[in-house]
Amino acid sequence: MLKTITRRGFLTGISGGIAAAALVPRFTWAAERGVEVPGKAGMIVRSARFLDLEMPAEFFSSWITPVPHFFVRNHMHEPSTFDADNWKLSISGEVERPLSISLRELAKVDAHTITNTLECAGNGRGFQQPKVPGVQWQRGAVGTARFTGPRLRDILQRAGIKASGKHVMFRGLDEVPGKVPPFIRSIPIEKATDADTLIATHMNGAVLARHHGFPARALVPGWIGAASCKWLTEIKVLDQEFDGNFMKPGYRMPNQLISPGGEVNSADTHAITSLGVKSVIAQPGDGSSVSSRPLRIHGAAWAGEAAVARLEISTDGGTTWRDARLGSQQARYAWRLWDHVWRPQEPGEYTIMCRATDDQGRTQPQSAAWNPSGYLYNAVDQVKIHVLA
Ligand code: MTE
């Protein structure tokens, strides 16, 4: 039976309201299908409170991900009021002229479009061994969209960045339940003033959907999704990296490789920035039985700020590898679709694997570097299938 999740449902039916925040687990990790979220279709619900929706693997077949299939990652409640007329974006901190900009004024600034693969740093966490806490994403906390809006640097230049300005902080309008710290993160000034970093107001040619940050979000291409703050309301230029929960201890990687299950010294970590090289198999699905010969194996590969150079496929559990064909649609920061046609010689059980290599010479590892938060999982993807007679 279909259940519909609405904003009201978040606050009353599901969570029991903000007052009950302390009584319910922070995340529910069930992977439910058949739950209807307005504006979304066919998604895996990793958490209903707060909304975390994963794209099923079969949707990796479209170079541009339609908004209804684009994953959602919320750390807290989406803002309940959407008053575009009164929305203001403030720019303050290490600037000559602090200012506040309305949506109407923002719309007058030259807009640019960047096609970007946005991936949550925790995507693939569900595959980490030993298991780590957090949303148990598998493949689909990632999607590719065309984001449009003014360059962040054009807005910062209006305010005049002081020489002391080294980092740029974003604050979202999320509704913060109980004692949860607000969603505030920062990026270094070099990335903030890059021509491709945007204040996006549109996604795939339409006004941003509320799940994706209406009326404006940061778009920090090639970097982990957490850098791209949704429901943007405040930008502050800082003289150092923002020191708050979502920068530290959140979204940090150990500087050294640690053995699975090991402990990390928090002083020996760094903030995660760009994505690694990674690929996933869209189809055939894991555990599926197939009869078609030849069989089309396809998926997507991405590499953050780098470009995918090669995609290899193994149909014998990693013993031998062949090049797959990379799709013709490409843009800096966007994934490449790939496909490979395979003729299984005989029926039986097969393990199919894919691995990407980027133009920096990085290749997906056989197993991912384990870390206690399960960030940046990028091991060779694999599915087990049964080829029917
Ligand atoms: N911005 C705000 N204000 N609040 C959030 O919870 N989640 C971040 C980022 N921006 C988040 C946010 C994370 S962790 C990710 S992966 C991306 O938004 C997800 O973007 P999406 O929901 O549009 O796919």
Side-chain angles (χ1 to χ4, degrees):
M1 199 175 93
L2 281 182
K3 288 182 275 172
T4 300
I5 296 182
T6 60
R7 167 81 197 145
R8 195 150 227 282
F10 284 161
L11 291 174
T12 54
I14 294 164
S15 69
I18 290 172
L23 303 176
V24 295
R26 181 134 181 262
F27 297 113
T28 51
W29 294 326
E32 260 190 278
R33 290 237 202 170
V35 174
E36 217 177 71
V37 179
K40 294 286 158 184
M43 304 293 280
I44 303 164
V45 180
R46 291 279 172 214
S47 163
R49 178 193 186 277
F50 310 102
L51 193 62
D52 292 319
L53 302 179
E54 175 169 342
M55 182 180 79
E58 63 263 26
F59 293 145
F60 278 97
S61 50
S62 170
W63 188 57
I64 297 294
T65 312
V67 173
H69 297 164
F70 205 96
F71 83 101
V72 175
R73 170 62 171 126
N74 291 344
H75 280 278
M76 45 201 87
H77 296 297
E78 297 183 357
S80 55
T81 49
F82 296 94
D83 184 358
D85 289 338
N86 290 317
W87 175 87
K88 290 267 186 195
L89 176 61
S90 71
I91 296 101
S92 65
E94 302 297 309
V95 294
E96 306 291 349
R97 299 168 294 280
L99 52 91
S100 180
I101 241 179
S102 69
L103 201 52
R104 207 176 289 262
E105 287 160 336
L106 199 62
K108 290 186 193 146
V109 184
D110 280 352
H112 298 267
T113 296
I114 296 290
T115 305
N116 179 59
T117 293
L118 191 82
E119 185 186 21
C120 183
N123 194 25
R125 181 183 289 124
F127 295 129
Q128 286 271 21
Q129 288 298 338
K131 290 271 175 224
V132 295
V135 184
Q136 297 297 297
W137 303 110
Q138 293 195 350
R139 298 178 175 84
V142 58
T144 298
R146 292 192 181 94
F147 293 93
T148 304
R151 288 185 169 128
L152 173 59
R153 78 173 181 203
D154 288 349
I155 305 299
L156 291 174
Q157 276 161 8
R158 281 190 185 196
I161 309 167
K162 289 186 180 168
S164 50
K166 303 289 182 220
H167 292 260
V168 175
M169 180 206 102
F170 305 120
R171 177 202 289 267
L173 269 173
D174 323 42
E175 285 174 13
V176 182
K179 291 190 177 142
V180 176
F183 191 83
I184 307 179
R185 299 195 76 249
S186 68
I187 59 171
I189 196 81
E190 296 76 19
K191 187 68 175 173
T193 52
D194 186 283
D196 295 338
T197 299
L198 306 179
I199 299 176
T201 53
H202 289 70
M203 186 174 174
N204 293 348
V207 168
L208 271 181
R210 63 186 272 187
H211 297 308
H212 299 294
F214 175 84
R217 75 179 300 166
L219 192 269
V220 184
W223 284 30
I224 57 166
S228 293
C229 183
K230 304 192 277 189
W231 311 294
L232 199 56
T233 182
E234 182 187 356
I235 294 175
K236 197 167 182 181
V237 181
L238 307 176
D239 58 5
Q240 57 184 357
E241 188 176 277
F242 178 72
D243 184 19
N245 179 66
F246 291 98
M247 291 300 289
K248 200 193 279 175
Y251 296 107
R252 296 186 89 78
M253 281 288 268
N255 293 332
Q256 329 288 342
L257 273 180
I258 47 168
S259 48
E263 301 237 326
V264 177
N265 170 5
S266 62
D268 198 13
T269 60
H270 62 273
I272 313 174
T273 57
S274 60
L275 297 169
V277 61
K278 183 162 174 179
S279 63
V280 294
I281 298 168
Q283 272 173 333
D286 192 28
S288 58
S289 295
V290 295
S291 54
S292 53
R293 287 194 184 75
L295 175 67
R296 181 170 173 256
I297 305 168
H298 67 102
W302 59 96
E305 293 174 304
V308 173
R310 185 176 190 195
L311 193 290
E312 296 164 283
I313 284 287
S314 173
T315 52
D316 55 13
T319 308
T320 60
W321 295 86
R322 276 183 205 176
D323 281 330
R325 190 185 65 89
L326 290 173
S328 57
Q329 288 169 301
Q330 50 185 307
R332 194 182 170 193
Y333 313 115
W335 63 29
R336 295 282 292 273
L337 297 184
W338 54 264
D339 72 273
H340 179 73
V341 174
W342 175 50
R343 287 178 183 75
Q345 294 304 308
E346 46 196 78
E349 311 296 322
Y350 291 88
T351 299
I352 300 174
M353 296 180 168
C354 68
R355 77 176 173 209
T357 299
D358 70 13
D359 63 354
Q360 310 294 304
R362 300 180 299 177
T363 299
Q364 274 181 268
Q366 197 60 34
S367 54
W370 188 91
N371 61 90
S373 300
Y375 292 137
L376 297 182
Y377 177 90
N378 74 334
V380 161
D381 193 22
Q382 57 173 291
V383 293
K384 291 188 192 311
I385 63 163
H386 180 68
V387 175
L388 299 166

